[in-house]
Amino acid sequence: MRLNDDALARAVFFLSTTESRSKLYRLLQYSAKFSRWSLLQLWELDPKASKHTESKSRQLQLQSKTRADWRYWIVASLSRAELVFGDARRLFRFLQFLEMADLYRQVQEPMRAVRVLRRLRILCFFFFYLTENYVVLHTRVLGVSPREPRMRRLRRSCNGFWLLSILLAFPLDHMMHRGTLLSTAKKFLDLPVAYIGLSGVRVSDGLFGALGLASAQIGVVSCWLDAMTKFQQQHSKRLAADVA
């Protein structure tokens, strides 16, 4: 089988970076969130009841007596899937603030405005990852409740850094002539998601899930296209080396 036609090789190459896996897990996270909301609306279930059932999912799996029990079990499973893939994204980004610190030192654009904006955006990501790591460490390792006021404030600050990085990306893309239709659409979809996370405004899970899902789909497609371009380049180099 030629490497160029090997779907498995392409998939492995795509998943070989933290960014690719993070985007894929984000897609799965928001797919679970939006699917859960859709099923709640379709089956007219009580979201609070589904949360109650989540704590007894194993019992329901073994002793499901009614059709409604199975519905609640499915909804609870989607809730757990959303949490699992959300945690997976955060774990893959653990200590990534160190990468941002190194990237900050490497900014050497000749235009001063571009250089300043790039460094500001990298700083946003640095504090985003650093704050997120702090929250993950305290809530997942030290057992601090995610509902604790300090943890809520820190999560909001994460979204604030994310929102600022999105806003900085617009002038940067214009100055560096690098913006594409897909990347611009993704930024416009991410803006309300980041703002909702920062402000704490309560919105429908359907709206929030739809925005996140659309953004995640664009992110995966863009990342896949970039990965396949690099894959083809590496494959061409291997062929040239074999011929030589």
Side-chain angles (χ1 to χ4, degrees):
M1 181 182 295
R2 293 178 57 191
L3 183 62
N4 191 36
D5 299 325
D6 192 345
L8 178 60
R10 292 173 181 270
V12 170
F13 187 85
F14 172 71
L15 295 173
S16 62
T17 64
T18 300
E19 181 183 6
S20 299
R21 292 193 297 271
S22 178
K23 290 185 182 299
L24 178 60
Y25 293 160
R26 185 177 188 237
L27 175 62
L28 295 173
Q29 176 190 0
Y30 279 102
S31 295
K33 185 180 188 67
F34 187 73
S35 298
R36 176 182 179 274
W37 175 84
S38 300
L39 291 179
L40 285 173
Q41 303 303 311
L42 177 64
W43 292 335
E44 299 181 351
L45 300 179
D46 182 7
K48 295 182 180 179
S50 68
K51 292 180 181 179
H52 174 72
T53 307
E54 182 177 357
S55 64
K56 301 181 179 180
S57 59
R58 180 175 298 180
Q59 179 182 354
L60 286 174
Q61 185 177 9
L62 298 175
Q63 301 177 349
S64 179
K65 297 180 180 179
T66 66
R67 189 178 180 184
D69 285 343
W70 277 106
R71 291 178 177 180
Y72 282 124
W73 179 81
I74 291 173
V75 170
S77 298
L78 289 171
S79 296
R80 288 193 299 275
E82 179 188 348
L83 292 174
V84 166
F85 288 114
D87 284 344
R89 291 175 57 210
R90 297 181 185 95
L91 289 174
F92 271 112
R93 294 199 298 252
F94 200 72
L95 298 181
Q96 199 166 349
F97 64 90
L98 297 176
E99 181 182 342
M100 295 298 105
D102 182 60
L103 190 61
Y104 182 88
R105 301 185 304 172
Q106 300 177 19
V107 176
Q108 297 179 349
E109 271 71 19
M111 289 181 59
R112 185 173 184 274
V114 173
R115 190 166 62 249
V116 170
L117 287 175
R118 277 205 67 195
R119 285 177 173 170
L120 284 175
R121 191 160 188 257
I122 291 171
L123 283 176
C124 287
F125 281 115
F126 173 85
F127 287 110
F128 171 83
Y129 292 130
L130 183 64
T131 307
E132 183 184 67
N133 287 179
Y134 182 86
V135 172
V136 169
L137 181 65
H138 279 71
T139 57
R140 297 306 187 195
V141 179
L142 301 181
V144 178
S145 172
R147 299 181 181 276
E148 200 248 353
R150 182 165 57 98
M151 293 296 105
R152 288 185 173 182
R153 288 195 299 270
L154 288 172
R155 286 202 304 272
R156 286 188 179 183
S157 66
C158 279
N159 286 286
F161 290 127
W162 181 30
L163 178 62
L164 183 56
S165 73
I166 297 171
L167 294 174
L168 289 172
F170 287 107
L172 264 177
D173 288 347
H174 176 71
M175 293 178 183
M176 300 178 71
H177 307 287
R178 66 179 186 183
T180 64
L181 182 61
L182 282 178
S183 65
T184 303
K186 183 179 183 301
K187 292 182 184 69
F188 277 114
L189 289 168
D190 283 338
L191 274 174
V193 176
Y195 175 76
I196 291 169
L198 170 64
S199 63
V201 175
R202 299 185 65 87
V203 298
S204 165
D205 282 348
L207 174 61
F208 191 81
L211 289 171
L213 181 58
S215 171
Q217 288 174 331
I218 294 175
V220 169
V221 170
S222 299
C223 198
W224 173 266
L225 294 176
D226 292 341
M228 290 305 100
T229 300
K230 295 177 182 178
F231 181 86
Q232 292 292 351
Q233 291 173 350
Q234 291 189 11
H235 179 62
S236 299
K237 290 180 180 178
R238 291 194 190 99
L239 288 178
D242 291 341
V243 172

